[in-house]
Amino acid sequence: MDSQVIANDPEETQSAHEHSPHLVHHYATMDQQVESASFGMWIFLLTEIMFFGGMFMAYLLYRNWYYDAFVAGSNLLSIQFGTAMTTILIVSSFTVAMGVFCSETRNRKGLVAALSLTLVLGISFLCMKGTEWHGIYVEHHVPGPNFSIETFVHPTDARDVPMSPDAAQHTQIFFFLYFALTGIHALHMVIGCSVLIFLLIRARQGAYTDGNPTMIHNFGLYWHFVDIVWIFLFPLLYLISRHPLK
Amino acid sequence: MSSTSIINLPNQQTARMPKNHYLNSGYGLKSWALTLDHKRIAILYLLTTLFFFCIGGLMAALMRLELLTPAGDLVASDTYNKLFSIHGIIMVFFFLVPIAPAVLGNFLIPIMIGAKDVAFPKLNLLSYYIFLIGGFFELYSIIWGGVDTGWTFTTPLSTHYVNTNVISAAMGIFIAGFSSILTGLNFVVTIHRLRAPGMTWFRLPLFIWSYYATAIIFILATPVIAITMVLIAMERVFGIGVFDPALGGDPILFQHLFWFYSHPAVYVMILPGMGVMSEVVGCFSRKRVFGYTAVAFSSVAIAVFSFFVWAHHMFIMGISNYSALVFSLFSMLVAIPSAIKVFNWSATMYKGSITFETPMLYAFSFIGLFTIGGLTGVMLASLGMDIHMTETYFVVAHFHYVMVGGMVSAVMCGLHFWWPKITGRMYPEQLGKLAASTLFIGFNLTFFPQFILGYLGMPRRYHAYPAEFQVLNVMSTAGASILAIGYLLPAMYFLWSLKYGAIAGSNPWQATGLEWQIQSPPLKDNFEEIPVVDFEAYDYEWLANKTRHEVTNVG
C-alpha cells in the first residue's frame, strides 16, 4: 500500500489490525501483507528470467556460429513428442488458474481437484521428458566421452550424407545446451511438483480456501512462469531450424 | 562537552541499559540460530563475514610477505596462485558483497523506514543459512587443496588445465549467490511495501536509496553468475565444451557472462558505502545532505549504468574495437553519478558545523580514497591507457582504492556510527580516532606504491619480480602491517566496549533518522508503536525543536 495513503487515513489501517487471523505481526494490514507476498514473487520471477537468460544467450551465440550443427541436432528431436509436452503444460496452466479461482471462491473440493490434476499433468510432463532423455542417451547423443557423431546427416543435402566430423562435433554443443536448458527447466518442474504435493495436503485440510489464497496465487505465478520458459524452449529446440535454408 | 564534539551521552551515574531489548529478548543457541529478528540475523552475518575477512586478510598478509623480496622464496608459485585466488574469492564473494547489505542493511533498513521487520523474516534467516552453506563449500575447497584460478575463474584454464578444487569453489559461489538474491528481494519488497505512514520516497534517508540500488543489482546480476558457475562445474564434470575452444566453445562467452555479474557486483561493493557516507556526512556537518534528490537518483543511475560497462574488463581479449569504444564511453559515464555524490558530500560540509568524531574521520578517508580509486578508474576506462595497464599492479591498486579505501572505510565508518545503536554502548572515542588515522596511513602506504609499480610495468599475480621493484614492494608490505593494526585495534576496543563502554543512550550523535529516535539497543520489534513520519530526512531544525523540551537528565 502506498505509504501516503496510510498517512492520510491512519484510522483505517489501525482498525484492520485486529481482524484477520492470517496477518503476520510486522504487517499493518492484510492488504499490505498480500501485496508484499505477490510483489516478492514477481521479483523472484525476474531473477529467474536472468537465470535462464545466461543460457539463452549461449544458445543464441552458438546457433549463429554452428547453424548446420544446430539444424542437425534439432532434426533428431521428435516434434510430436515436443507438441505433446507443450499441450500438457498449457493444460496444466489452465488447471492451476482454476485452482486459484477455486481458492478465491473458497471452494475446497474444486481446489483439491485442480491441484491434483495439475500434479498429474506435471508428473506426466516429467515422465515424457525422462523418456525423451533416455532416447537420446540410447543413441549416444549425451555430450561427453560417449558422444557419437555417426547419425548426423548434413541438413542441406537431400541425400543422407554424413556431416563432416568437425561440424558434427558441434552438435555436442547443441545437445549440451538442450540438456542444460531442459534439465534446469525440469528441475523447476520437480520443485514445482514438490511444492504442489505440500499445497495439496494443506488444501485437503482446508487451508487456502479460508480467505487467504495468497500462497496458491503465488504458486500459480511460479507454475505459469515455468510454463512460459517451456513456451520459449519448444520453438528454440524443436521447431526453428527444422527446415534449413537451401 | 566542548563545542568540538557533538557526542551527547546520558549521565553515566544514572544511566542504565534499557530493560528489554533485542539482545536480551532470548538467550541460548536456539534463540540465535532460529531467530527471525532482522537485527540478530545482522549480527550473525557480521560474525560470519568477519570470520571470512580474517581468512582473506591472512592470505593477503602471506602474499605481502612473499613480495618483500624479489625472489620467490617464501612460497612456491603454485601456492602463491592459491593465495591470491582464495584472497580474491573470499574477499569478494564472502566479505565485500555480503558485509554491507547483509549486516548494516539488515540491521538498519527496517528501522530507518519505520517497520518492525523485513518483509520476509523467514526468507531472511534462510538466506543466512544459504550463505553459510556456500561458505562451507568455500572452506572445503580451501582446506582440501585450495583453488588456483584467480577469483575470475578464467576459462579454459579453470575448466581444463588446473586440477584444484574448482567445482566446490564454483558451487560455493553459486550457493552464496542465492543468499544475495534473496536478501536483495527482501530489501526491495521491504522498501516498497513496509514504509511507515508518511515515509514517502523522498523522505527516506539516502542510505535507503543506496541500498535499494544495491538490491536491484543483486536481483538482476546475481542469477547470471549463478548459471555461469553451474556451466563451469558441468564443463569440468562432464568434459563438454561450451567454453572450450577445442570443442567449438567460446571462452569469451564466459567472460561476458562472468563480467555481466562481476562488474555490477563491484558497485554492490561501493553503493552501500555511499549510503553510509550520506548519513555520516550529514550528521557531522549538522546539515541536510546537499542536493538530496540528485544523490538519491545518482545511486539508481549507478545501478543502471553498472549493467552497460562490463566489457571494459575485456579490452585486451579480442572483442571488437567498436564495442570496446562504446563500453569505454559508458565506463567513463559512471564517473558522473559518482562525482555527483562526492560533490554533494563536499557541498554538505561547506559551511556546515563540522566535528571530527571517529565516523567522520572514516568518512573523510572514504571520500578521498574513493575519489582516487574512481579517477584511476576513468584512466583505465580509456582504451589506450587500459591496454598498457591491464594485468599490472595499477589495476590492483585502483580496485583496492575503491574496495578497501572506499568500501572497507565505509564499513568501519558505519560500524562506528551505529555501534552505540547496535550494542547500546560507546567505544572509546580517542582510540577510535587513532584507529581511523592508522587505517588511512597504512592503506595509502600499502596501495599507493602499487600505482607506481603498475605504471612501471610490474604484472600482478607473480610471486617473484625484478630487483628494481623491491623498494616500492617493501613500502607496500610495511604499509600492510600498519593496515593490520588499523583493523586489530577496532576489533579489540569494540569487544572491550561490549562490557565497559559508556552507556550511549538513544541518540549519542544527535542525529535525525528514525533509528536514533528509539532506544539503543532497540526493542525486539523496533517500535512500540509504528511512527507516523511528518518530517523530512536530515531535518536538524526539527530535531533541535524536538529535543529542546525533552528531559534527558533526571535527578
Side-chain angles (χ1 to χ4, degrees):
Chain A
M1 187 185 289
D2 186 0
S3 58
Q4 198 68 61
V5 177
I6 308 177
N8 293 339
D9 200 358
E11 276 76 32
E12 195 200 356
T13 57
Q14 287 303 316
S15 62
H17 194 282
E18 315 299 330
H19 292 325
S20 176
H22 305 293
L23 190 65
V24 184
H25 84 287
H26 61 282
Y27 289 106
T29 66
M30 205 54 209
D31 272 358
Q32 191 189 26
Q33 183 178 332
V34 170
E35 279 182 33
S36 299
S38 101
F39 187 47
M41 194 64 206
W42 278 105
I43 292 178
F44 174 71
L45 297 184
L46 187 65
T47 70
E48 289 276 23
I49 291 175
M50 297 307 288
F51 188 76
F52 279 97
M55 281 182 297
F56 279 119
M57 175 65 223
Y59 177 89
L60 202 69
L61 175 81
Y62 292 127
R63 196 183 119 76
N64 267 313
W65 279 15
Y66 308 126
Y67 180 72
D68 290 343
F70 271 55
V71 172
S74 186
N75 274 324
L76 289 180
L77 298 176
S78 159
I79 202 164
Q80 287 82 8
F81 226 67
T83 315
M85 283 189 280
T86 312
T87 317
I88 286 177
L89 277 193
I90 292 175
V91 175
S92 82
S93 256
F94 174 73
T95 55
V96 151
M98 286 314 292
V100 175
F101 176 75
C102 291
S103 161
E104 278 167 359
T105 52
R106 309 195 176 199
N107 175 356
R108 190 169 65 89
K109 277 186 179 162
L111 176 64
V112 171
L115 291 186
S116 314
L117 261 175
T118 313
L119 184 62
V120 170
L121 289 168
I123 289 174
S124 45
F125 173 87
L126 283 172
C127 291
M128 292 185 76
K129 196 82 244 170
T131 316
E132 193 182 52
W133 284 345
H134 181 73
I136 292 171
Y137 171 77
V138 169
E139 289 175 50
H140 292 286
H141 289 153
V142 178
N146 290 328
F147 191 75
S148 151
I149 56 170
E150 277 161 24
T151 40
F152 295 113
V153 286
H154 196 273
T156 54
D157 208 312
R159 296 160 298 130
D160 285 354
V161 180
M163 287 176 88
S164 72
D166 196 36
Q169 271 302 338
H170 293 149
T171 50
Q172 245 197 105
I173 293 185
F174 173 82
F175 274 104
F176 173 67
L177 287 171
Y178 164 84
F179 275 106
L181 282 162
T182 58
I184 289 175
H185 177 262
L187 181 68
H188 278 80
M189 292 289 292
V190 170
I191 293 169
C193 287
S194 316
V195 175
L196 200 47
I197 291 170
F198 168 78
L199 292 180
L200 250 177
I201 295 169
R202 296 263 292 122
R204 277 170 60 91
Q205 295 161 353
Y208 316 123
T209 44
D210 52 357
N212 187 24
T214 318
M215 190 75 179
I216 299 291
H217 193 90
N218 284 342
F219 175 76
L221 284 177
Y222 175 83
W223 194 264
H224 290 313
F225 171 80
V226 177
D227 283 3
I228 289 170
V229 171
W230 179 259
I231 298 296
F232 279 90
L233 291 183
F234 179 52
L236 285 180
L237 296 171
Y238 294 76
L239 297 182
I240 57 173
S241 311
R242 279 196 96 88
H243 304 288
L245 301 166
K246 292 281 154 88
Chain B
M1 282 281 164
S2 68
S3 62
T4 54
S5 175
I6 54 160
I7 301 180
N8 179 24
L9 298 179
N11 185 340
Q12 293 298 309
Q13 254 86 53
T14 53
R16 292 282 175 274
M17 291 287 272
K19 215 169 187 175
N20 295 311
H21 51 79
Y22 78 100
L23 290 169
N24 68 8
S25 64
Y27 294 102
L29 191 63
K30 205 178 149 195
S31 78
W32 281 90
L34 296 178
T35 181
L36 296 181
D37 183 355
H38 66 101
K39 299 180 287 299
R40 286 193 168 200
I41 293 173
I43 305 274
L44 292 176
Y45 267 118
L46 179 67
L47 297 175
T48 318
T49 46
L50 286 183
F51 167 73
F52 282 114
F53 179 71
C54 293
I55 297 180
L58 186 69
M59 301 297 153
L62 287 172
M63 276 192 282
R64 280 320 320 168
L65 271 181
E66 162 59 55
L67 293 173
L68 201 55
T69 54
D73 38 16
L74 181 67
V75 291
S77 55
D78 279 354
T79 316
Y80 188 80
N81 290 348
K82 288 176 185 172
L83 289 181
F84 71 68
S85 304
I86 294 165
H87 171 73
I89 292 171
I90 291 286
M91 285 299 200
V92 169
F93 296 106
F94 292 89
F95 173 68
L96 283 165
V97 167
I99 180 93
V103 178
L104 291 177
N106 250 332
F107 195 94
L108 291 165
I109 288 177
I111 308 184
M112 279 184 167
I113 64 172
K116 287 180 177 169
D117 208 325
V118 291
F120 309 115
K122 284 180 193 158
L123 205 61
N124 204 9
L125 184 67
L126 177 70
S127 69
Y128 172 71
Y129 280 108
I130 291 175
F131 177 71
L132 210 58
I133 294 170
F136 281 130
F137 269 81
E138 223 52 61
L139 287 179
Y140 164 81
S141 49
I142 293 171
I143 296 169
W144 272 269
V147 57
D148 62 353
T149 57
W151 78 278
T152 49
F153 289 94
T154 312
T155 54
L157 175 74
S158 63
T159 48
H160 289 83
Y161 296 107
V162 296
N163 55 359
T164 47
N165 295 317
V166 178
I167 296 172
S168 56
M171 282 302 100
I173 291 168
F174 172 74
I175 294 166
F178 283 96
S179 155
S180 299
I181 293 173
L182 296 179
T183 305
L185 188 155
N186 225 334
F187 285 174
V188 169
V189 178
T190 308
I191 295 170
H192 267 273
R193 296 289 180 219
L194 283 182
R195 281 169 290 134
M199 182 59 98
T200 58
W201 280 93
F202 291 99
R203 280 178 182 170
L204 287 172
L206 288 166
F207 183 91
I208 302 290
W209 278 92
S210 296
Y211 275 66
Y212 184 71
T214 311
I216 290 176
I217 296 178
F218 270 157
I219 289 169
L220 292 179
T222 319
V224 180
I225 190 88
I227 191 65
T228 312
M229 288 297 146
V230 172
L231 291 178
I232 289 262
M234 279 172 144
E235 178 139 355
R236 260 189 96 86
V237 176
F238 303 113
I240 21 100
V242 233
F243 299 134
D244 179 15
L247 293 172
D250 182 10
I252 300 289
L253 176 69
F254 169 79
Q255 294 295 330
H256 279 294
L257 293 176
F258 182 83
W259 289 111
F260 182 82
Y261 162 77
S262 292
H263 197 79
V266 170
Y267 295 108
V268 162
M269 299 175 219
I270 194 69
L271 273 168
M274 293 169 159
V276 173
M277 281 312 111
S278 300
E279 297 301 304
V280 171
V281 168
C283 172
F284 294 96
S285 308
R286 316 309 297 164
K287 266 175 74 184
R288 180 178 162 86
V289 175
F290 182 84
Y292 174 97
T293 325
V295 179
F297 280 117
S298 64
S299 296
V300 180
I302 290 175
V304 173
F305 282 1
S306 74
F307 287 98
F308 299 99
V309 300
W310 76 88
H312 68 215
H313 296 269
M314 306 162 59
F315 285 161
I316 55 155
M317 292 180 191
I319 58 169
S320 95
N321 282 347
Y322 299 106
S323 76
L325 216 60
V326 173
F327 277 107
S328 167
L329 178 71
F330 275 126
S331 307
M332 290 184 188
L333 285 182
V334 181
I336 295 172
S338 311
I340 288 176
K341 282 175 182 291
V342 171
F343 284 126
N344 279 303
W345 295 324
S346 313
T348 308
M349 288 188 243
Y350 179 67
K351 289 191 174 172
S353 318
I354 302 176
T355 49
F356 296 88
E357 279 78 15
T358 312
M360 192 59 165
L361 293 186
Y362 280 115
F364 284 133
S365 143
F366 174 97
I367 295 172
L369 300 178
F370 170 72
T371 306
I372 296 177
L375 287 177
T376 48
V378 178
M379 288 162 78
L380 287 169
S382 43
L383 289 168
M385 241 350 222
D386 184 75
I387 286 162
H388 180 63
M389 298 296 192
T390 299
E391 300 295 329
T392 68
Y393 264 86
F394 192 88
V395 177
V396 175
H398 153 67
F399 69 73
H400 279 88
Y401 260 77
V402 177
M403 289 180 190
V404 184
M407 190 56 175
V408 178
S409 292
V411 167
M412 294 300 276
C413 175
L415 273 181
H416 283 82
F417 188 59
W418 282 291
W419 190 255
K421 184 53 65 185
I422 296 172
T423 63
R425 288 182 185 272
M426 284 300 284
Y427 53 87
E429 179 64 25
Q430 295 307 323
L431 272 177
K433 285 179 182 170
L434 178 69
S437 319
T438 314
L439 196 74
F440 181 76
I441 295 167
F443 174 82
N444 278 304
L445 193 55
T446 312
F447 291 104
F448 201 84
Q450 297 188 2
F451 276 128
I452 305 169
L453 280 171
Y455 184 76
L456 295 174
M458 178 167 163
R460 62 195 281 207
R461 294 179 169 175
Y462 283 87
H463 75 142
Y465 55 87
E468 69 210 66
F469 294 138
Q470 192 175 11
V471 176
L472 289 166
N473 270 303
V474 169
M475 279 168 76
S476 184
T477 303
S481 46
I482 298 176
L483 195 58
I485 297 171
Y487 291 134
L488 289 176
L489 204 55
M492 286 190 283
Y493 64 67
F494 273 152
L495 284 176
W496 175 87
S497 77
L498 286 179
K499 195 156 168 59
Y500 304 105
I503 289 175
S506 63
N507 194 357
W509 311 118
Q510 305 181 59
T512 62
L514 287 176
E515 82 270 30
W516 298 109
Q517 317 310 323
I518 57 173
Q519 66 171 47
S520 8
L523 287 168
K524 186 167 182 291
D525 278 344
N526 301 341
F527 301 96
E528 280 165 22
E529 206 175 314
I530 292 295
V532 176
V533 181
D534 53 359
F535 51 89
E536 303 298 315
Y538 312 112
D539 192 345
Y540 282 91
E541 282 174 28
W542 166 86
L543 186 73
N545 280 329
K546 180 170 165 286
T547 47
R548 188 170 298 147
H549 306 294
E550 253 174 28
V551 182
T552 46
N553 251 332
V554 185

